[in-house]
Amino acid sequence: MIKRNIHERMAIMDFEFEIIKTCKDTGARVGKFHTPHGSFDTPIFMPVGTQATVKAMTPRDLEEIGAQIILGNTYHLYMRPGHDIIKEAGGLHSFMTWDKPILTDSGGFQVFSLTDLRTIEEEGVYFRSHLDGSKHFIGPEKSMEIQNALGSDIIMAFDVCSPYPCDYDKAKKDMERTSRWAKRCKDAHSRNDQALFGIVQGSMYKDLRAASANELLAMDFPGYGIGGLSVGEPKPIMYEILDFLMPIMPKDKPRYLMGVGSPDCLVEGVLRGIDMFDCVHPTRIARNGTAMTSTGRVVVRNATYERDFTPLDSECDCYTCQNFTKAYLRHLVKAGEILAAILLSIHNLRFLINLMEDMRNAILDDRLLSFADDFKKKYGYI
């Protein structure tokens, strides 16, 4: 018993959120989150590796663009290849050859998006596979079992993500179930070398958001996700909810805005004190031939770039921008070449990672507001 307690204390010490500086004008902060697989700086954008791979990116590519932590998806890895196989391989880090931190989501959002294939009960969610129609069940305990087997550094509680729009009664029911499931997740979580984050829900209703946050704070998770935003609501509504919620959230724990990855939302989120972001958006639009740049979107397939022999973004230091032109990238997109998705994914992810680096430096130098104003004007959304 004594040895077990010592081990638990050592494991818990592997997780520490260190706040380095807080912006005196906004509440934005620079921090560092320590995990058993290393530390990552905040605020941070985390590339999404849904099926144990960030699409069109090798681990070496991710290292080169400065990725410090990536995501995996519990639902998809449960469905294929199966968490038992990944556990046998030595866990997700070993399986995908990534030695830095990994966060896995709970599978809740994916399961609930299977609108016509699932049934929600108090014990969990019964659903049919999107792959072959086979029957499955995931509840709080099963989500913890899967994520414990995956061995990711940060794992998420199984929650109910309300759609938008959502009436008050349903949002309240979803929020209350999320709180009950969070308690069950905490009770079932069996590994001290994994940090379990709770997820605040409540749709667009401020009283429900406050209730959800306070209930989860009482459970004392090492970090908190903010779910149920960026689900179709206008961006001003999302910002209004964040403005309301941030004073309630603990100052000494990381705050993770789930599923948000457009440059304007990253800037607005950081200004409001968000520490962590993730989204499939940058790699998805890359595969469709669109690039993020410091002056806005570039739709590479457009004819205007046929003879444009300049880089995507003259301010970007990525491999793509240092070596290739818009004309060449357009040719790859039009020809359906795989290299188009690779080069545009490298650029889009580096662009967002670099944006977060710039904001961290702006906070440290006490110039975040001027940086944000300049970015908004240049990017074209002010």
Side-chain angles (χ1 to χ4, degrees), residues 30 53 68 109 134 146 169 178 195 258 280 282 291 297 303 321 361:
V30 169
T53 174
Q68 299 182 47
F109 180 81
S134 56
I146 298 167
D169 289 342
T178 291
M258 306 175 72
V280 299
R297 283 191 175 199
C321 289
N361 288 330

Side-chain angles (χ1 to χ4, degrees), residues 239-259:
Y239 302 150
E240 182 181 346
I241 294 297
L242 292 177
D243 286 335
F244 170 79
L245 197 53
M246 285 305 99
I248 302 174
M249 303 299 290
K251 290 182 170 57
D252 60 343
K253 304 286 182 71
R255 307 157 178 168
Y256 165 26
L257 181 55
M258 306 175 72

Side-chain angles (χ1 to χ4, degrees), residues 120-273:
I120 304 173
E121 304 290 349
E122 181 62 26
E123 60 267 29
V125 183
Y126 297 87
F127 62 96
R128 290 186 177 273
S129 165
H130 72 290
L131 299 172
D132 59 13
S134 56
K135 295 180 179 179
H136 297 271
F137 169 82
I138 294 181
E141 293 79 12
K142 185 67 175 181
S143 178
M144 292 299 97
E145 174 194 327
I146 298 167
Q147 293 186 80
N148 288 164
L150 296 176
S152 43
D153 300 277
I154 300 173
I155 67 177
M156 304 302 295
F158 195 62
D159 63 323
V160 185
C161 182
S162 299
Y164 179 84
C166 183
D167 67 65
Y168 185 88
D169 289 342
K170 174 171 172 48
K172 185 172 187 291
K173 180 180 178 181
D174 291 347
M175 180 275 291
E176 291 172 343
R177 179 167 282 165
T178 291
S179 292
R180 293 193 297 272
W181 284 3
K183 175 63 166 60
R184 286 168 56 188
C185 284
K186 192 165 186 180
D187 291 343
H189 177 38
S190 63
R191 291 184 58 165
N192 290 301
D193 59 347
Q194 294 178 301
L196 171 62
F197 282 23
I199 302 177
V200 176
Q201 290 289 352
S203 189
M204 309 304 152
Y205 303 101
K206 293 178 181 177
D207 61 327
L208 298 183
R209 286 284 177 178
S212 178
N214 287 322
E215 289 171 8
L216 293 174
L217 266 56
M219 299 181 203
D220 194 27
F221 290 98
Y224 295 89
I226 300 168
L229 293 177
S230 193
V231 291
E233 80 280 4
K235 289 179 181 179
I237 293 180
M238 177 173 71
Y239 302 150
E240 182 181 346
I241 294 297
L242 292 177
D243 286 335
F244 170 79
L245 197 53
M246 285 305 99
I248 302 174
M249 303 299 290
K251 290 182 170 57
D252 60 343
K253 304 286 182 71
R255 307 157 178 168
Y256 165 26
L257 181 55
M258 306 175 72
V260 171
S262 63
D264 54 334
C265 288
L266 296 187
V267 171
E268 296 294 341
V270 169
L271 287 169
R272 288 163 171 80

